[in-house]
Amino acid sequence: MEIRPFDNGCGAEIGGVDLQSMSDEEVEAIADAHAAYGVVFLRGQTLTPGDQLAVARRFGPINVNRFFTPVPGHPEVAMVLKEPHHQYNIGGGWHTDHSYDQAPALGSMLFALDVPSAGGDTMFASMYKAYEALSPGLRRTLEGLRAVHSSRHVFGKGAYAKQDDDRYHNAGQATQDAVHPVVIRHPRTGRPALYVNPAFTRRIAGWTEDESRPLLEHLYDVAAREDHTCRFRWEVGSVAFWDNRATWHHALNDYPGERRLMHRVTVEGESLSPYLTEN
């Protein structure tokens, strides 16, 4: 196994590993790199839906996504699909998967089956680096704060991009609201990381949305700085496995008229409340 971190500490590429035949030691090494760098990338993999599930289970229990179309016969594997006629892609815009759940997802494993001739890259942003870029005074302000996250405005009835789109389901089940620390200490690394995101975070707990907006927008601006991000160019057989406690991601929608198909498996996480940073 060879782990090659990117220069800015966001992301690492891993070579010399067949995900289907990992030793326990390799699983631990990947889990450590996943937590340390926020996302790991592997190329040249061959995975059926069942294979992908078996690989993901080496890292934890599976979280069944309730809103995306599943792969037939595999309800735990979600299709992340954009057909040539689709205007919107899935995952466009900076976000963190499942932050609206009481126990947010540990990670998401995405496997590429069909990629466009150009474009369709995924951007990642390190929430470790976002926190480290904040001033000491702002860090002190954030310590002990919590934020409200929700699925309602993204996947619920009336969500702007989800109407009449057969890739999304169960709008009536978009009732998740959760409160998490604004800054967590990562469960595996112990490093502080910013834990708010533009898609699902609604406001600071105890504040109004109007009061919360200036602070959240400033945090989002800092988090998305170019020197906090990395970019992955997909090939058929590529895998990205990201840590939802340490990164944001953004699927670029820059391939009009072409098809892109990924299979995603989500690994269950744990409550983040015990990892609140305090003075």
Side-chain angles (χ1 to χ4, degrees), residues 33-201:
H34 173 261
Y37 304 111
V39 56
V40 295
F41 308 107
L42 303 96
R43 297 191 183 274
Q45 304 295 312
T46 303
L47 300 172
T48 67
D51 295 334
Q52 188 177 355
L53 277 171
V55 170
R57 285 193 178 103
R58 301 287 299 275
F59 298 94
I62 304 304
N63 179 305
V64 179
N65 184 284
R66 56 186 75 82
F67 302 122
F68 297 162
T69 300
V71 172
H74 294 277
E76 297 161 302
V77 184
M79 285 198 295
V80 179
L81 173 66
K82 182 171 185 270
E83 295 284 13
H85 68 275
H86 287 136
Q87 180 179 358
Y88 298 104
N89 66 335
I90 293 175
W94 287 113
H95 65 287
T96 300
D97 294 338
H98 289 252
S99 72
Y100 47 77
D101 285 340
Q102 295 296 324
L106 178 154
S108 301
M109 182 177 290
L110 198 64
F111 175 62
L113 291 98
D114 197 356
V115 300
S117 58
D121 298 352
T122 302
M123 300 288 296
F124 296 87
S126 169
M127 294 302 103
Y128 295 139
K129 294 178 68 67
Y131 176 79
E132 292 164 1
L134 302 176
S135 68
L138 183 50
R139 292 184 199 175
R140 287 192 295 271
T141 297
L142 298 180
E143 288 176 346
L145 290 182
R146 298 174 185 266
V148 177
H149 302 245
S150 180
S151 65
R152 299 171 190 271
H153 61 292
V154 177
F155 296 116
K157 295 177 180 178
Y160 72 96
K162 311 301 187 293
Q163 300 304 298
D164 301 319
D165 191 328
D166 60 6
R167 295 173 295 173
Y168 299 94
H169 305 280
N170 301 321
Q173 295 183 31
T175 58
Q176 293 77 27
D177 298 300
V179 179
H180 303 302
V182 172
V183 177
I184 64 167
R185 290 202 175 274
H186 190 280
R188 193 174 185 100
T189 66
R191 290 177 64 185
L194 195 63
Y195 195 76
V196 290
N197 70 89
F200 299 117
T201 305

Side-chain angles (χ1 to χ4, degrees), residues 1-17 29-30 32-34 36-45 230-232 235 238-239:
M1 176 189 288
E2 182 182 6
I3 299 174
R4 299 181 294 273
F6 293 173
D7 289 343
N8 70 348
C10 174
E13 191 148 353
I14 297 179
V17 174
I30 291 174
D32 284 342
H34 173 261
Y37 304 111
V39 56
V40 295
F41 308 107
L42 303 96
R43 297 191 183 274
Q45 304 295 312
C230 57
R231 179 170 180 155
F232 186 61
E235 301 169 352
S238 295
V239 171

